[in-house]
Each structure stands twice: as structure tokens, then as C-alpha cells.
Amino acid sequence: MRVIRPALSRRTVLRGAGAAMALPFLEAMMPSAKAADLSSRPKRLQVFYSPNGMTMPDFLPTATGADYVLPSSLQPLAPHREQIAVISGLGHPQAAAMGDRPAGHGRSCPAFLTGAHAKQTEGPDIRAGVSMDQVFAQHLGDATPLASLELGIDTASLLGSCDINYSCAYTNGISWLTPTVPLPVEANPRAVFERLFGDGDTDEAGRLAQLRRQSSILDFVMDDTRRLSGQLGMEDKRKLDEYLDATRAIEKRIQRSAASPATTQAANLQQPAGIPDDFAEHVKLMIDLQVLAMQADVTRVGTFMIGRELSNRTYPEIGVPDSHHMLSHHGNNPDKMAQLAKINRYHMEFFAYYLQKMKDTRDGEASLLDRTLVIRGSAFGDSNEHDYMDLPVIVAGGLVKGGRHSRVEKGTTMSNLMLAGLQTLGVPAAKFGDSTAPLRELTDA
């Protein structure tokens, strides 16, 4: 006689003294008849944002359809060609001045995920719109412990205006919970880890003490882990081990970073403890945390900013000693354009890393990427012109058809893409931002 065990609760966590760890999505959490059914897996949304626009000749393919050639800035995505779709011609009409004073970044950045016209203000009376990621998060409700995760590399600017006549709140992040509440971006990997797993220490002294002990959250939940492992099948045991190994590897990297002396950025701003000295390590660590959060189903919604809008970071590691923002206003100087193109390609390498991490992370018989809609873009196309009407947009993941370049009619609002994306994710939305219709280029098979 076959004994059928009840499905393991999706809310099951590993518990120990002062610690709690969510579990990855396991076969034991589903009725056996649905365990191998990909369509029963949760859908996810991830957004990858690069600041300061793009050198469009190095980004835009010249041909459309499936036979396009990857330009130099897109070449790092060659291993993922069949999982990506380039969509050109999209813009944000709401980023236009509409009678306001001149500005570029301050209007275009908040429009990127909201399709809304930002109120011109340097004060606290900011206003834009609800962003696409938060519409999806609200649709999911309390399906996950965290509604969403907003990560980045740069700490926020808090005072004054960052773009002329516009509050820094407009360029610090891209996620808006309500039209008046932007969500803060977290740049410290240790703070992210504690948000995901909550070790109970909230003050700096407690965190440093734990670092000196080099203790692991896994040590605290070891007994619960052993108990649970005895209830799992071979595939779930493998997946649990993989998840725990990834968690410990990230912990060790965070501990090394937090234990090192604080260093300075190019702008001579002191970094909080926990942020790696090395830019590439910092980016990869934040991406790994984002993927781990999805793997554990702590959240299904995430945004990642590889730099805040107006970023003045320099990149000497790739031979670019000049400021990113200054280079974005290149005045068509070939040398400056070449340096900007290097930065664009460098950022694309991290996007390729992002896709590979999701592709390598199992989700039942498939991968995280197979059930995730990924949007990669910037608030500008040609940054020298502050061109918000021809954006460098890539969509990726198994929820859309990849391996192609689609060119839409110039002037088509990006809100149409976001509306189609929400519908693909199962949100019964009829309108988003200034949308006119779902973008068929996203959904057509």
C-alpha cells in the first residue's frame, strides 16, 4: 500500500536560536500530480536598470527578426541569445517637459517603471506613479514573506536636488509603492542578508561581534535542517543542500567584506561596513542575494540598479578613469563615446551574469529563468540628447519568446510593454501608466 504524505506547507521555515530561514520551492510542497508541471510554478518579475543612458549605435541591432547580429554592447549576452528579445523604439512620452523647466534624469528615471509624469519639485511633495513591479507585488498579496526586494550599488542621495528642480528621490530608485512613496534601494549586502534571514542583531556592535565569531545562520538552524531532510525525497534533498551551500557561500563573502576596513568611492564617500571594496564583487554579491531570495521564494519581485541615475562612478578597472555621468554627455566626441560604450558593455556583462545565475538555479524540472519575466533597460537611449523616446530595452526569460529583435513604431509608450508584462504575469490589468494597448511584440508567439 502506497502512503501519500501531505504536501509540505509553503510557509515552512528552518528555525533556530534567533534565526529563521525560508525554504526553496520543493517538490514536497506540491501535490505529487503537479510536482513536474512547469505551469504550476510561481511566476516572477525582475528588473535590471543601468543609469545614464546608452551609446545606441553599439546597442541597437541593424536587422530585425531572429537573424540579427549582436552589436558590441550586446555581445556578452551571446550565451543567452535564445532567452532574450531586444525591443527598440519604445519611449516614455511622460518624461517630456510638458511646460516644466528643463531637466532630464529627474523626469525620465521615475517614468521608467511607472509611465507617469513626475511632479517638478525639490521638496517633500514628490509625485510620480505606482511602478509595474509594485502592481505585481500587490497582485501577489502575502504569497511571500517579502513583497519585493529593491537592491542597488549606490547609497541614496538624501538632500537637495540631484537634477535641476527635481528631488533626489526621483533618481535614487525606480520602484514606487504609491504615487508619493518611492521605495528605498538597499546597497549593503549584509543588511539585505539580515532582511532575508533575520539574525536578530540590529545594532552595529552586535553585527561586528557576529562577524568576529564567523558564525553562520546555518549553525543555528542545523537541528531543524536535519529533521526536515529526513522527510524529503532525493531530489528535494539535493535542492536543499544546493540552497544551503549557496547561502553559506554568500555569508562568507559578506563576512569578508564587512570585516575589512571601510574604503572610499571615487566621490570620496565612506562606504558602510559590509559593502565590498571591489565593484564587480559588490555587483555579483547583490545579484546572488536577489537570486537566493527568489530561490527561497522569500519574494518573487525584485529590482536591481547597477548605479543610481546621475552616477559619477569611474571605472579604472576597465580603463575608464572619467565620470560615468560626464561621459554620458559626450558631445559626440569619439573618445568619450568609446569610453561610455565600455561602461555599457561592462554593465551588460553583469546582466549576463544575472541571467546565468537564474538559468543555473533549479526550479523543479526547469530553472528560475524559465518562470521569470526579466526587463533590462535605462531611462535614456542617447544620453547626450537625454532621448527618452528610443530606449534600450531587453526582455528575457521563459515567459516570453526570445531570440529576436523587434522594432516598434517610434513613439510607442513603454507602458504598453509593462501592461503586456503584467498580463503575462497573470495580473488582470486593462491599463498601466499611459498605455494604449498591450505590446503585441512581447506576447506574440
Side-chain angles (χ1 to χ4, degrees):
M1 179 179 176
R2 183 183 178 187
V3 177
I4 300 177
R5 294 179 179 175
L8 188 67
S9 170
R10 295 289 307 280
R11 297 292 187 180
T12 302
V13 295
L14 300 176
R15 296 189 181 278
M21 282 185 68
L23 288 172
F25 193 84
L26 302 172
E27 304 293 345
M29 295 175 176
M30 303 180 65
S32 57
K34 292 186 177 181
D37 182 7
L38 181 61
S39 65
S40 64
R41 301 284 171 175
K43 293 180 179 180
R44 307 172 183 88
L45 171 66
Q46 295 290 303
V47 181
F48 186 105
Y49 182 87
S50 290
N52 300 335
M54 183 73 63
T55 49
M56 294 301 280
D58 296 295
F59 173 86
L60 279 180
T62 55
T64 57
D67 296 327
Y68 73 94
V69 175
L70 289 169
S72 58
S73 290
L74 295 185
Q75 285 175 5
L77 301 181
H80 312 289
R81 183 188 178 99
E82 295 308 309
Q83 288 82 42
I84 67 168
V86 181
I87 303 179
S88 58
L90 292 171
H92 266 315
Q94 296 301 315
M98 298 183 182
D100 292 338
R101 295 178 181 178
H105 304 267
R107 281 194 301 267
S108 295
C109 185
F112 179 71
L113 273 187
T114 68
H117 183 76
K119 178 181 178 180
Q120 181 180 287
T121 179
E122 295 182 9
D125 56 333
I126 55 174
R127 175 172 286 274
V130 180
S131 55
M132 174 198 180
D133 59 310
Q134 292 308 302
V135 172
F136 182 47
Q138 291 165 20
H139 169 74
L140 293 175
D142 61 354
T144 56
L146 292 181
S148 61
L149 197 58
E150 294 75 40
L151 303 186
I153 297 302
D154 298 327
T155 54
S157 293
L158 300 178
L159 300 175
S161 62
C162 292
D163 199 3
I164 301 171
N165 304 309
Y166 284 83
S167 166
C168 291
Y170 288 127
T171 49
N172 281 336
I174 55 175
S175 292
W176 289 72
L177 181 65
T178 74
T180 58
V181 180
L183 291 174
V185 169
E186 179 57 68
N188 192 320
R190 170 153 289 277
V192 177
F193 192 89
E194 291 174 357
R195 187 179 178 195
L196 296 179
F197 301 114
D199 67 1
D201 285 323
T202 55
D203 57 61
E204 187 65 19
R207 284 194 289 271
L208 292 176
Q210 184 181 0
L211 285 170
R212 285 191 291 271
R213 295 193 301 269
Q214 293 291 292
S215 58
S216 167
I217 190 173
L218 305 184
D219 297 334
F220 297 109
V221 299
M222 188 176 297
D223 290 342
D224 218 13
T225 302
R226 291 195 190 98
R227 177 192 58 75
L228 176 64
S229 184
Q231 303 175 28
L232 301 178
M234 292 300 295
E235 178 62 18
D236 276 350
K237 286 182 180 179
R238 181 205 61 76
K239 190 169 185 178
L240 180 61
D241 288 344
E242 181 183 81
Y243 168 63
L244 297 176
D245 288 345
T247 302
R248 183 56 183 139
I250 289 174
E251 270 191 317
K252 288 180 177 178
R253 289 158 65 192
I254 292 173
Q255 287 168 342
R256 286 196 299 268
S257 299
S260 65
T263 60
T264 58
Q265 296 277 30
N268 295 321
L269 297 175
Q270 189 171 10
Q271 295 187 95
I275 293 183
D277 299 345
D278 182 75
F279 174 77
E281 169 62 11
H282 188 190
V283 174
K284 290 181 178 179
L285 186 52
M286 299 305 276
I287 289 173
D288 290 353
L289 284 165
Q290 192 84 284
V291 173
L292 188 67
M294 288 191 293
Q295 182 182 7
D297 207 30
V298 172
T299 187
R300 299 172 191 170
V301 185
T303 57
F304 176 74
M305 297 182 75
I306 200 168
R308 67 181 296 275
E309 196 60 40
L310 290 162
S311 169
N312 276 313
R313 182 181 292 275
T314 63
Y315 296 88
E317 68 270 30
I318 59 170
V320 180
D322 296 329
S323 152
H324 186 185
H325 181 226
M326 293 299 101
L327 288 172
S328 73
H329 296 288
H330 47 70
N332 295 317
N333 179 299
D335 292 337
K336 292 182 178 180
M337 292 179 71
Q339 289 192 72
L340 182 61
K342 280 187 177 181
I343 296 174
N344 295 160
R345 180 173 173 133
Y346 190 43
H347 286 182
M348 202 66 72
E349 289 173 1
F350 292 111
F351 182 58
Y353 175 85
Y354 197 31
L355 296 179
Q356 190 64 52
K357 287 293 294 188
M358 286 191 279
K359 190 184 293 187
D360 290 343
T361 303
R362 296 281 294 276
D363 182 34
E365 297 300 315
S367 72
L368 282 179
L369 187 59
D370 289 319
R371 294 291 286 173
T372 304
L373 173 63
V374 186
I375 299 175
R376 190 268 180 217
S378 302
F380 296 119
D382 182 350
S383 54
N384 189 61
E385 300 295 332
H386 280 172
D387 182 6
Y388 49 81
M389 289 306 294
D390 192 6
L391 303 178
V393 176
I394 298 170
V395 293
L399 298 179
V400 295
K401 180 182 178 182
R404 56 180 174 162
H405 167 219
S406 300
R407 183 178 291 123
V408 303
E409 182 179 354
K410 187 79 178 287
T412 302
T413 174
M414 189 173 163
S415 293
N416 287 0
L417 180 148
M418 291 186 279
L419 176 60
L422 287 170
Q423 293 178 354
T424 298
L425 291 165
V427 180
K431 178 80 174 174
F432 178 83
D434 62 346
S435 65
T436 57
L439 190 74
R440 62 178 179 81
E441 285 80 3
L442 182 71
T443 56
D444 282 357

